Amino acid sequence: MIHSEVRNASPRLSRFLNWEHLRLDLLEVLDTPVHVCQSPTYRAEIVQRIMSLLASYKKEREVPPDPNLMELCSAVLLNFREWDKLIELEHKVDFYIQFAKVIANVCKEVSNKAGRSATKELWDTILPIFNNPVSNQHKRTASGMSKDSPRESTSAIMNRTQLFQFVKKLKDVLVLGIIISCLGKFYNILKDDSNGEIFLEYQTLWPTVISNSNVFNMMAVGEVFQNTLHHALSIHPTHTAWLRTKGDVMYVQGHYASALMYYLSAAMVSSDFFSLPLPKAIFDDLQYKHMIHCCTKLQNHTQASVLHQFLEEPNYSMAFKALGERVCNDSCDTYYSCIWDITLLEFLVNHHTKRGETDCRQHVIQLIGQLELNSNNNEEIQREAASLRKGWFLRAMAKQYL
């Protein structure tokens, strides 16, 4: 009754009240944990109200909603995977809607395994946000000298703060994955360090070079990328690809124990606590080499030597060197039972013989004598023996680092 009277007396006031009501509902939607399912009817109602708002804005531009409400609308439409509704909107309704529309285009292409035309648009939208400030305004100091006043590029769709504030409202796995991948690729290119390249999901979507990389702020890109990754993992803490990405971030920063924690978390999640083979899309040779390097830096040399077995082609010289280290922070011969490579076990027999360590030598000889490690066994038995020992080893690592 009251609402009807307000609408009749002042359509503009009625519109503002509707917007505020929608704002509260959108905030409630965004505060709802991802594991709490909202009814399809309620979601459809929210979407319909958002579309009505956007339609009214198109008709009556003299009373536009404030940017914060448009930001909420954009985030909710992305979280609800309303790709088509976003794509159909006018391109210049609002800069948040415009940005969400570009992301929706990419998500739809990735979902449908279609072309990559939209990825270039997102790439070209993200890059200007991180332009270094340009100086084109001149102010006078107290001494009368001219002083440049920096400003951000006017070509950017939004500034960095607005970008991250918007990202913090996003919860959908695909949406966050696309943004993390784009920012991460951008950061990898600017960093230009082949040895410190960070693993990324969807990394083949993006260009591999930037012609004018010196005009971008690498530190700002890295900061927003890492903050976005942190936010994504706070929403979806078991997303395997992001766990590996986070591990790589820790690795390049020299936080080796933390890197191992994230690597092992990714392994545990993707293998049902190491009971299944690790997916090669995530755990490739580069991943294992990073883990080996982490263990070496932590002086856990026996762990490093065991990990050499995980490589497609073990580096025996490095593995032998690790096994021969005198200063070792791990429990050394405790991990011998996790070795299935006879070459490493034979090295250990010789190594302990030279040192006169009879008990250790005898222990290794007993391990070599296990039937499942016989080199004459067929490939299936050898694979099962290796798989069993991989599980033992990774569980022991998880117990230490997680």
Side-chain angles (χ1 to χ4, degrees):
M1 179 68 179
I2 295 175
H3 187 274
S4 177
E5 291 178 359
V6 170
R7 184 171 61 248
N8 294 332
S10 175
R12 178 175 294 187
L13 177 58
S14 174
R15 201 157 42 244
F16 277 122
L17 289 175
N18 285 333
W19 291 349
E20 287 306 308
H21 186 197
L22 177 60
R23 185 200 307 275
L24 292 174
D25 287 343
L26 294 178
L27 288 171
E28 183 180 1
V29 168
L30 291 172
D31 284 341
T32 303
V34 290
H35 63 272
V36 177
C37 296
Q38 293 157 333
S39 71
T41 305
Y42 181 66
R43 289 167 67 108
E45 179 195 340
I46 290 291
V47 171
Q48 191 274 328
R49 288 167 63 190
I50 291 173
M51 301 309 292
S52 296
L53 177 146
L54 296 175
S56 67
Y57 172 51
K58 179 181 177 182
K59 292 177 182 177
E60 303 170 19
R61 293 182 182 274
E62 76 279 2
V63 191
D66 67 84
N68 175 256
L69 181 55
M70 302 301 279
E71 179 188 19
L72 297 176
C73 291
S74 304
V76 169
L77 288 175
L78 284 173
N79 288 338
F80 284 179
R81 296 199 166 198
E82 295 289 348
W83 314 143
D84 291 331
K85 284 186 168 56
L86 277 165
I87 292 168
E88 290 166 4
L89 291 171
E90 271 193 19
H91 201 63
K92 295 184 179 179
V93 172
D94 171 87
F95 67 91
Y96 283 117
I97 292 291
Q98 184 180 344
F99 186 57
K101 179 176 178 176
V102 174
I103 296 172
N105 260 314
V106 178
C107 291
K108 187 173 181 180
E109 281 189 358
V110 171
S111 298
N112 297 336
K113 298 181 179 179
R116 297 183 183 177
S117 58
T119 58
K120 185 180 186 307
E121 186 179 6
L122 179 58
W123 184 257
D124 293 339
T125 302
I126 290 285
L127 263 60
I129 297 174
F130 297 95
N131 277 353
N132 282 314
V134 294
S135 299
N136 67 341
Q137 298 178 6
H138 300 279
K139 294 184 178 180
R140 297 287 176 182
T141 63
S143 61
M145 296 294 291
S146 176
K147 179 182 178 182
D148 288 336
S149 175
R151 64 175 179 83
E152 291 188 4
S153 171
T154 56
S155 64
I157 193 171
M158 62 180 72
N159 61 41
R160 297 162 201 160
T161 303
Q162 289 171 324
L163 172 62
F164 183 59
Q165 290 302 317
F166 179 66
V167 166
K168 287 199 297 185
K169 295 175 175 62
L170 301 176
K171 295 183 178 181
D172 182 74
V173 171
L174 180 56
V175 173
L176 286 170
I178 293 297
I179 295 173
I180 288 169
S181 180
C182 183
L183 290 170
K185 187 67 174 183
F186 189 13
Y187 183 57
N188 275 339
I189 293 173
L190 294 180
K191 195 156 54 71
D192 192 23
D193 179 8
S194 58
N195 293 322
E197 188 158 315
I198 295 168
F199 170 86
L200 298 166
E201 197 175 21
Y202 310 118
Q203 58 185 336
T204 58
L205 294 177
W206 316 108
T208 55
V209 293
I210 298 175
S211 57
N212 54 342
S213 59
N214 60 312
V215 305
F216 300 108
N217 188 328
M218 184 182 73
M219 290 183 64
V221 177
E223 182 182 0
V224 175
F225 163 60
Q226 291 180 50
N227 287 338
T228 302
L229 180 60
H230 178 78
H231 163 70
L233 282 171
S234 72
I235 304 294
H236 303 281
T238 59
H239 192 83
T240 307
W242 298 345
L243 287 169
R244 176 175 171 183
T245 300
K246 182 69 173 180
D248 279 357
V249 170
M250 294 293 102
Y251 175 82
V252 298
Q253 293 177 352
H255 304 308
Y256 299 114
S258 294
L260 283 171
M261 180 187 74
Y262 284 106
Y263 290 151
L264 289 165
S265 295
M268 183 175 67
V269 168
S270 61
S271 64
D272 193 16
F273 198 60
F274 313 114
S275 62
L276 300 172
L278 297 176
K280 290 189 176 181
I282 303 293
F283 289 87
D284 52 13
D285 269 13
L286 181 60
Q287 167 75 93
Y288 293 127
K289 287 176 181 177
H290 283 182
M291 294 177 72
I292 290 167
H293 186 74
C294 289
C295 290
T296 302
K297 286 293 185 179
L298 296 170
Q299 294 191 327
N300 294 332
H301 298 294
T302 313
Q303 292 176 355
S305 64
V306 174
L307 281 167
H308 274 285
Q309 300 174 109
F310 288 63
L311 300 173
E312 290 291 333
E313 295 184 6
N315 186 332
Y316 286 114
S317 62
M318 295 297 293
F320 294 161
K321 181 181 178 183
L323 288 171
E325 292 285 351
R326 288 189 174 272
V327 179
C328 193
N329 290 337
D330 55 25
S331 51
C332 298
D333 55 348
T334 302
Y335 292 107
Y336 287 178
S337 60
C338 300
I339 298 176
W340 64 87
D341 190 316
I342 294 297
T343 303
L344 294 184
L345 291 172
E346 288 175 343
F347 170 84
L348 284 170
V349 171
N350 182 56
H351 174 69
H352 289 302
T353 300
K354 286 182 178 179
R355 287 188 175 183
E357 297 166 343
T358 308
D359 290 344
C360 290
R361 174 180 176 275
Q362 194 60 35
H363 175 51
V364 177
I365 290 174
Q366 289 175 355
L367 293 174
I368 293 176
Q370 295 175 103
L371 293 177
E372 63 266 33
L373 296 185
N374 191 315
S375 57
N376 293 323
N377 289 336
N378 61 42
E379 289 187 4
E380 184 179 353
I381 293 175
Q382 292 182 30
R383 276 197 304 270
E384 286 181 3
S387 178
L388 182 65
R389 285 158 179 77
K390 282 181 181 180
W392 292 346
F393 176 68
L394 291 172
R395 288 188 196 97
M397 290 273 285
K399 189 174 182 180
Q400 177 177 345
Y401 292 102
L402 298 185

